Amino acid sequence: MDHQKSADRAASFLDICFDTFCEYGLENTGLKRLAEACGVSNGALLYYFNSKDEIVIRATARCMARVEDDFMRHAPSSFADVERFLREMPYITARMHGPKYRFMYQVYASPKYREYGKEFFKGVSLRYAHYARQLSDKLGLPVDYLQGMIYIFVRACVHYAMFEDEEYLNFQLGTIRTSLAAFMAQNGQAKPQE
């Protein structure tokens, strides 16, 4: 098997394993269940990965980075589009990614995987800075301001996806809207329509 086919197969296995973990949870998903989901033997799965721990670590980092990219595909295209994004994204996130976020926190809150979580979230910070730079010109807002708003908004969406807590969501969205209005007033601009 050539290197690219092997890498593609390993990536496919990571995606399948991640979905399996999300369905059954970390504690209820053994190597046998993962191998069955991938349609291979335990030994074949271990040919690609050294252990279940390696699968957990790599699958979580890979798939959650893809979830973030999906989040940004829905990002506002202009300042006038911000309110649509605020209204829709928490519900899209919950519908599409709730189990993924629950699993991610199960993994990264575990003492066994905490160091990997720290590394993953360093990458999150870099990606959020990148997203803020991408959105700055489109929205007419400074990068540092946008990066802070991204953190608050993603946290609100993730919390909603995990717990469907409307009160927390509305409080966070209210904070973002108030901050946007204050920023716009300070700079002599009109706020987006709600």
Side-chain angles (χ1 to χ4, degrees), residues 60-98:
T60 303
R62 170 185 164 78
C63 293
M64 292 312 297
R66 289 174 54 209
V67 166
E68 288 176 5
D69 290 340
D70 180 63
F71 194 94
M72 287 307 297
R73 275 192 288 280
H74 292 88
S77 56
S78 67
F79 191 76
D81 192 33
V82 168
E83 185 55 36
R84 185 257 335 145
F85 186 60
L86 295 176
R87 271 194 327 269
E88 293 177 0
M89 203 59 212
Y91 302 100
I92 291 170
T93 301
R95 186 178 68 249
M96 293 178 63
H97 304 303

Side-chain angles (χ1 to χ4, degrees), residues 13-14 17-18 21 25-27 29-31 34 45 49-64 103-104 106-108 110 112-114 116-117 120:
F13 287 161
L14 288 173
C17 288
F18 187 74
F21 282 125
L26 185 60
E27 312 259 327
T29 306
L31 194 57
L34 294 172
L45 194 57
F49 311 103
N50 293 322
S51 64
K52 176 185 166 186
D53 287 336
E54 182 182 348
I55 296 169
V56 168
I57 293 159
R58 289 181 57 191
T60 303
R62 170 185 164 78
C63 293
M64 292 312 297
F103 177 70
M104 180 194 71
Q106 183 184 18
V107 170
Y108 291 149
S110 167
K112 186 175 189 178
Y113 303 113
R114 177 179 263 172
Y116 298 101
F120 175 77

Side-chain angles (χ1 to χ4, degrees), residues 20-178:
T20 304
F21 282 125
C22 290
E23 183 176 350
Y24 296 102
L26 185 60
E27 312 259 327
N28 297 322
T29 306
L31 194 57
K32 181 178 183 211
R33 178 171 273 162
L34 294 172
E36 287 173 357
C38 292
V40 297
S41 67
N42 288 12
L45 194 57
L46 290 174
Y47 171 81
Y48 292 93
F49 311 103
N50 293 322
S51 64
K52 176 185 166 186
D53 287 336
E54 182 182 348
I55 296 169
V56 168
I57 293 159
R58 289 181 57 191
T60 303
R62 170 185 164 78
C63 293
M64 292 312 297
R66 289 174 54 209
V67 166
E68 288 176 5
D69 290 340
D70 180 63
F71 194 94
M72 287 307 297
R73 275 192 288 280
H74 292 88
S77 56
S78 67
F79 191 76
D81 192 33
V82 168
E83 185 55 36
R84 185 257 335 145
F85 186 60
L86 295 176
R87 271 194 327 269
E88 293 177 0
M89 203 59 212
Y91 302 100
I92 291 170
T93 301
R95 186 178 68 249
M96 293 178 63
H97 304 303
K100 296 170 188 170
Y101 281 113
R102 285 190 283 281
F103 177 70
M104 180 194 71
Y105 279 100
Q106 183 184 18
V107 170
Y108 291 149
S110 167
K112 186 175 189 178
Y113 303 113
R114 177 179 263 172
E115 291 304 314
Y116 298 101
K118 287 180 182 179
E119 285 304 309
F120 175 77
F121 284 106
K122 284 180 188 174
V124 166
S125 295
L126 293 173
R127 287 189 293 277
Y128 286 6
H130 175 73
Y131 298 149
R133 286 191 300 276
Q134 283 181 322
L135 290 172
S136 181
D137 287 339
K138 289 180 185 178
L139 305 184
L141 296 168
V143 170
D144 60 341
Y145 176 81
L146 275 171
Q147 190 170 352
M149 289 295 102
I150 290 169
Y151 276 102
I152 293 168
F153 186 57
V154 171
R155 173 74 61 180
C157 290
V158 169
H159 185 87
Y160 184 78
M162 291 175 60
F163 304 109
E164 296 182 6
D165 182 346
E166 290 281 342
E167 184 176 358
Y168 180 89
L169 175 63
N170 289 329
F171 180 76
Q172 294 295 76
L173 292 178
T175 300
I176 292 168
R177 288 178 177 120
T178 299

